[in-house]
Amino acid sequence: MAETAYLASAVVTGIAVLAVWSFVTRMEDWRHYDAANVGGAHTRRSADETDSVGTWAAAFFALVLVAGGGAVLLVSDAGVASAVGDWVAVGSVLGVSLLGFLLWGTYSSARFRGLRSAQAALLSAWLFGSLFVVGVAVKLVLAG
């Protein structure tokens, strides 16, 4: 009986995700704000890979599949759940999500401030490398 409830919950959640995605993609000019043209007609900026709705949808669905698949794997297989541990899995997902948000935020902020794509990617990579070095240094100081 519990499996039916989990399956129904997964189906309802999937339908809700698709409904939100379809609502957001149908909104007009939701990614653009032009302060000089507040009262006038809306204009669209040129789209590149990061502005493509298909790219955002594919990344979102990949994230949903990875998070959902990991949750199902942890719930369904007792061996995996005991080997990984609840707090380790939750902490790992939180850490990866926070790191991804930090890197993407750095890239987007750099692009917004006028840097080109390669320069913004370099800035994000530099930030990631700096955080990695700080993490290694903290581990070495605390371990020794």
Side-chain angles (χ1 to χ4, degrees), residues 3 8 16 24 26-27 35-36 41-42 44 56 61 69 71 74 81 93 98 114 118-119:
E3 293 82 16
V24 169
R26 292 180 188 267
M27 289 174 52
H42 295 288
R44 275 196 195 269
W56 281 102
F61 285 127
L74 282 175
V93 168
L98 186 63
Q119 293 169 331

Side-chain angles (χ1 to χ4, degrees), residues 10 16 21 32 43 70-71 73 81 92 102:
W21 176 75
H32 181 68
T43 60
L73 182 65
S92 298
L102 178 68

Side-chain angles (χ1 to χ4, degrees), residues 45-135:
R45 59 186 176 170
S46 64
D48 60 355
E49 302 91 40
T50 58
D51 288 336
S52 166
V53 174
T55 303
W56 281 102
F60 177 71
F61 285 127
L63 180 65
V64 167
L65 287 174
V66 167
V72 167
L73 182 65
L74 282 175
V75 170
S76 65
D77 191 7
V80 173
S82 64
V84 171
D86 295 337
W87 291 107
V88 173
V90 170
S92 298
V93 168
L94 180 65
V96 167
S97 299
L98 186 63
L99 182 65
F101 178 73
L102 178 68
L103 293 176
W104 182 254
T106 303
Y107 175 82
S108 296
S109 178
R111 289 284 292 167
F112 180 74
R113 293 178 185 269
L115 290 177
R116 294 191 172 150
S117 180
Q119 293 169 331
L122 176 67
L123 181 64
S124 289
W126 176 80
L127 177 67
F128 175 74
S130 299
L131 288 175
F132 181 75
V133 169
V134 167

